[in-house]
Amino acid sequence: MNRVVNILCFILLLSVPAIVKGQSGISMYHLQNTTFQGNNFNPSFIPEGKLFLGLPLLSGIALDYNSRASYNDIVIKENGRKIWNTEGFASLMKKRNYVSLEADISTFYLGVRANETTAFSLFVNEKMAGRAFGSKDIITLALEGNAGFIGKEIDFSKVAVDARYYREIGIGYWKHLPKKKLSMGVRVKYLIGIFNASSDNNFDGKATLSDDNFNMAFNFKNATFNTSGVDLFSDGSSADIQSHMIGNGNTGFGIDLGANWKITKELSAAVAWNDIGFINWKVDPKNYTLQDTTFNYGGLILKDIEDFQQSLEDSISERFQRHETTNPYKTALNSRFYSSLSYKIDPKSTLTATIANHGVSRRLRMLYGVGYSRKFGKVLTVSGNVVKSPQRGLNLGLAYAIDLGSFQYYMASDKLLGVADATNLSAMDIRFGINFIFGRNKVSSGNPEDGNKQDGEKIYQKIPLQKPREIYEKKTFQEY
């Protein structure tokens, strides 16, 4: 049981400063086919060029952090000691809260354009994320006890926890159909699971406050918490961990689909559905199941930061009727859906509106964005954006790419407001990297987004063959 509590403590500590939405990236998405990172959002986005190369770490790092509360909102000093500001933190919570901290690292990317209408890619990415769902009532109950819940029923069925780390190794295929003005892309991915800790989606639970003794009566059903790799990372040798990181029996498959249609000369539409798939967790699996049970709870007394784990253990560890097994289990990927309309104002300027949907543990979170992108010669592309995310108001986003020959540097962020003071920072989203793109002047991108060239347009155009003229037989005239 201590191991389960340790996992929960880790996730809670990770999540306290991050009551957030799912991973954003709208500003990066609005660069579209400027970088080959656009291929991660929509497989039909591919930049102009013939050969694309991304090296380990250099090519892409993405970090996403977002919260309702900053560090100064959560931790305060009292008599020279740092303590949790539990009352202030609870007051910041809304009816529904979603916790997330995510990171993506590009390990390798190689793309080759076979011709103007066909391209292939090979890529490797590291994907890490920790997420949790909870209501304001649950958070208030855990931090302040049950005094404010007399006569109320609390629904626990929406509670969920999901922390995972996996690697994706994939191949991509891109195809442009000039006559239909349509680009399509597909990426097939082999997945290797490194670590997982997740709750079962079938969990159901309710809590009611007793009028007699004012204790909270909990009723849990179908509650299962699965882990894979926890024992290995905590007790395994360095050699075992290294071998596990390279490859293991936690395997799965995923697929990304995308399309980009040029409706008119100015208007185009793009749609993508990413991370459709699953991972089978077979290595070091643990299943912690709570039998259908009822117990009373009087609240968690929490003051010192150092006492957090012990307070949680003393409060709940002896109340669960638990059952532990070692059965393999399966988790679905957290899919992402993007839909956008782009209007080309002129050959260098584009206005784009995007709706994105990120699914986590069968729960959906919507993102909205409007952006203006402009190219400044062949060196600089900039996209300015307004982004609306779950649980947060509007924020400003910026993305840009600098091209110097085959060298490209890019950076993007959806959260520019409030970044000056780190202790008061409640949100962060940043993506940056260095790419190498060769052969940009030798082939057109073939994408519907390229307004400088129409389909089939070259420096020289073929003149259609004319129908041969009839040859009349020459007449001779007699002399008289």
Side-chain angles (χ1 to χ4, degrees):
M1 185 62 196
N2 289 338
R3 189 174 300 280
V4 179
V5 174
N6 290 338
I7 298 168
L8 290 173
C9 288
F10 171 76
I11 294 173
L12 287 172
L13 284 170
L14 184 72
S15 304
V16 160
I19 303 299
V20 308
K21 66 179 191 337
Q23 194 180 72
S24 186
I26 295 295
S27 297
M28 189 71 199
Y29 175 85
H30 283 175
L31 284 180
Q32 296 193 351
N33 61 323
T34 302
T35 71
F36 56 74
Q37 278 69 29
N39 197 242
N40 294 328
F41 295 91
N42 189 321
S44 69
F45 291 165
I46 184 172
E48 177 186 347
K50 197 171 184 65
L51 179 67
F52 317 104
L53 179 63
L55 300 178
L57 295 179
L58 291 178
S59 184
I61 295 178
L63 299 172
D64 191 277
Y65 159 83
N66 195 328
S67 74
R68 295 192 188 279
S70 67
Y71 175 82
N72 287 340
D73 294 323
I74 300 168
V75 178
I76 60 176
K77 283 188 177 182
E78 186 177 280
N79 298 325
R81 300 177 61 191
K82 290 183 178 180
I83 65 172
W84 293 109
N85 182 17
T86 56
E87 183 177 346
F89 178 70
S91 67
L92 294 173
M93 298 300 98
K94 302 299 181 182
K95 184 178 180 180
R96 295 180 179 179
N97 301 281
Y98 171 41
V99 179
S100 175
L101 181 61
E102 305 183 37
D104 292 349
I105 300 175
S106 176
T107 305
F108 179 76
Y109 186 96
L110 176 64
V112 178
R113 188 193 296 269
N115 53 54
E116 289 190 358
T117 62
T118 307
F120 304 91
S121 63
L122 172 66
F123 57 90
V124 182
N125 296 315
E126 307 290 315
K127 312 277 283 187
M128 293 158 278
R131 310 175 181 94
F133 291 85
S135 68
K136 179 178 181 178
D137 287 345
I138 295 173
I139 295 172
T140 303
L141 173 67
L143 297 178
E144 299 183 356
N146 55 27
F149 296 93
I150 299 176
K152 294 183 179 180
E153 181 180 79
I154 301 176
D155 183 10
F156 280 77
S157 61
K158 303 301 180 182
V159 173
V161 175
D162 182 275
R164 64 179 69 185
Y165 169 25
Y166 67 93
R167 179 178 302 115
E168 58 179 24
I169 304 172
I171 56 174
Y173 175 72
W174 173 86
K175 186 68 177 178
H176 179 53
L177 306 175
K179 292 184 179 180
K180 297 184 179 296
K181 299 182 178 180
L182 177 68
S183 293
M184 298 180 295
V186 59
R187 309 200 317 169
V188 179
K189 303 179 290 188
Y190 174 72
L191 310 177
I192 301 175
I194 308 297
F195 170 88
N196 178 256
S198 59
S199 58
D200 194 287
N201 290 322
N202 295 321
F203 167 68
D204 186 25
K206 297 185 184 299
T208 56
L209 181 62
S210 172
D211 295 332
D212 298 331
N213 53 20
F214 299 104
N215 283 338
M216 190 72 72
F218 287 83
N219 186 6
F220 288 158
K221 296 181 180 179
N222 303 321
T224 301
F225 191 77
N226 300 309
T227 68
S228 175
V230 174
D231 287 346
L232 178 65
F233 280 98
S234 60
D235 303 327
S237 66
S238 298
D240 291 338
I241 295 175
Q242 183 177 4
S243 176
H244 180 78
M245 293 288 291
I246 295 173
N248 58 70
N250 296 330
T251 59
F253 294 93
I255 188 171
D256 301 338
L257 303 171
N260 196 1
W261 176 37
K262 187 172 183 180
I263 302 172
T264 67
K265 182 179 179 180
E266 296 83 14
L267 185 66
S268 62
V271 62
W273 190 7
N274 302 325
D275 293 330
I276 309 168
F278 63 91
I279 299 177
N280 288 313
W281 301 93
K282 301 179 181 179
V283 179
D284 186 29
K286 293 290 188 298
N287 324 108
Y288 304 95
T289 302
L290 303 182
Q291 299 178 5
D292 295 354
T293 184
T294 300
F295 64 89
N296 294 329
Y297 174 73
L300 176 65
I301 300 175
L302 183 63
K303 283 294 181 182
D304 293 334
I305 293 178
E306 293 82 1
D307 295 335
F308 177 74
Q309 177 174 335
Q310 188 61 46
S311 297
L312 185 61
E313 285 191 35
D314 294 342
S315 179
I316 66 175
S317 61
E318 299 301 326
R319 304 176 187 272
F320 290 125
Q321 302 176 28
R322 64 188 184 276
H323 181 61
E324 181 178 331
T325 57
T326 57
N327 299 321
Y329 61 97
K330 178 189 293 186
T331 60
L333 298 183
N334 297 315
S335 61
R336 299 170 294 141
F337 183 84
Y338 293 89
S339 177
S340 62
L341 281 174
S342 297
Y343 182 81
K344 189 170 288 295
I345 302 172
D346 57 52
K348 296 183 178 181
S349 303
T350 304
L351 183 66
T352 304
T354 299
I355 297 176
N357 188 322
H358 292 182
V360 180
S361 300
R362 300 181 184 177
R363 293 158 176 83
L364 303 180
R365 288 297 180 267
M366 302 297 297
L367 298 90
Y368 307 90
V370 177
Y372 172 78
S373 302
R374 183 169 180 81
K375 294 183 178 181
F376 297 89
K378 296 182 179 180
V379 176
L380 179 64
T381 303
V382 179
S383 177
N385 305 273
V386 177
V387 180
K388 172 66 176 69
S389 305
Q391 305 186 136
R392 298 191 61 82
L394 298 177
N395 209 319
L396 299 180
L398 177 68
Y400 65 86
I402 300 174
D403 295 290
L404 300 173
S406 60
F407 175 89
Q408 181 184 72
Y409 174 77
Y410 72 89
M411 188 167 71
S413 175
D414 280 351
K415 306 177 183 72
L416 297 181
L417 299 180
V419 298
D421 186 355
T423 58
N424 285 315
L425 187 67
S426 61
M428 182 185 70
D429 170 74
I430 187 167
R431 301 155 196 278
F432 59 92
I434 294 173
N435 300 326
F436 297 95
I437 303 177
F438 303 94
R440 267 189 276 215
N441 297 325
K442 298 180 181 180
V443 59
S444 67
S445 69
N447 284 317
E449 312 311 313
D450 296 337
N452 296 332
K453 297 181 181 181
Q454 300 300 317
D455 294 329
E457 186 178 348
K458 310 289 181 184
I459 297 177
Y460 302 99
Q461 292 193 8
K462 295 181 180 179
I463 300 176
L465 293 175
Q466 303 295 322
K467 182 179 180 181
R469 292 182 296 175
E470 296 183 14
I471 300 177
Y472 296 93
E473 186 177 342
K474 184 177 180 181
K475 293 183 178 182
T476 56
F477 297 92
Q478 279 187 329
E479 294 185 359
Y480 293 94

